[in-house]
Every structure is written in structure tokens, then in C-alpha cells.
Amino acid sequence: REYLQQAIDQWRELDLVEDEIRSRGNLGITYFQESDFASALSTYEDCLSLARAIGDTDLQVRLSLDAAKSAIRIRNADKAR
């Protein structure tokens, strides 16, 4: 996780939002694989906000699905919709 956070910080400093989103998404995957579904969901939601801000619909779809899977795992049906 430390390396992912470093990458996120570097992308943010360079104002490379799409790369930042992808690194954050990888962090969400890490949380999901560690069964930390609440952190995964929060991370995916942050990514989704950024993807919406730059209008990247492909990332929005992928991140929405990842967020829904995390919400289901924590049994939060409202966020899974």
C-alpha cells in the first residue's frame, strides 16, 4: 500500500488525474483483496468522483461496478444500487 500511496501523491503533484484515479483504484483492489470492504468502497467512491470530474465514462463504469461489489460485501444495499 505504501508504494501505491506514493504513486497517488506523485500523480496528484503532476496533475495527472487519470493516472491518480488508476492508482487509487489499485489501492481499492488491495483493500478489497484484504477483505477491508469499507475502505475499498470509500476509495472507489473517491475515484468515481474524480472520474466524473474529468468525464471519463469508461472509468466511471468500472469504478461503479467495483464500488457496488464492495457495498454488497459490507451488506450496504443502498450503495450497491
Side-chain angles (χ1 to χ4, degrees), residues 25-64:
N26 288 337
L27 182 59
I29 290 168
T30 300
Y31 286 134
F32 191 90
Q33 290 174 337
E34 293 174 349
S35 298
D36 185 351
F37 304 117
S39 292
L41 178 58
S42 176
T43 301
Y44 291 138
E45 288 175 336
D46 291 343
C47 291
L48 189 53
S49 293
L50 290 171
R52 285 182 180 133
I54 64 169
D56 190 322
T57 55
D58 291 338
L59 277 174
Q60 289 177 51
V61 169
R62 184 177 66 81
L63 292 164
S64 293

Side-chain angles (χ1 to χ4, degrees), residues 32 37-38 41 44 64-81:
F32 191 90
F37 304 117
L41 178 58
Y44 291 138
S64 293
L65 292 172
D66 289 341
K69 287 189 286 188
S70 297
I72 289 167
R73 291 292 183 119
I74 59 175
R75 293 179 173 82
N76 187 337
D78 289 336
K79 289 197 176 194
R81 292 180 197 172

Side-chain angles (χ1 to χ4, degrees), residues 12-29:
R12 188 178 309 122
E13 286 177 26
L14 295 170
D15 198 29
L16 295 171
V17 179
E18 189 170 310
D19 293 312
E20 179 185 347
I21 294 168
R22 291 185 194 286
S23 291
R24 284 177 180 265
N26 288 337
L27 182 59
I29 290 168

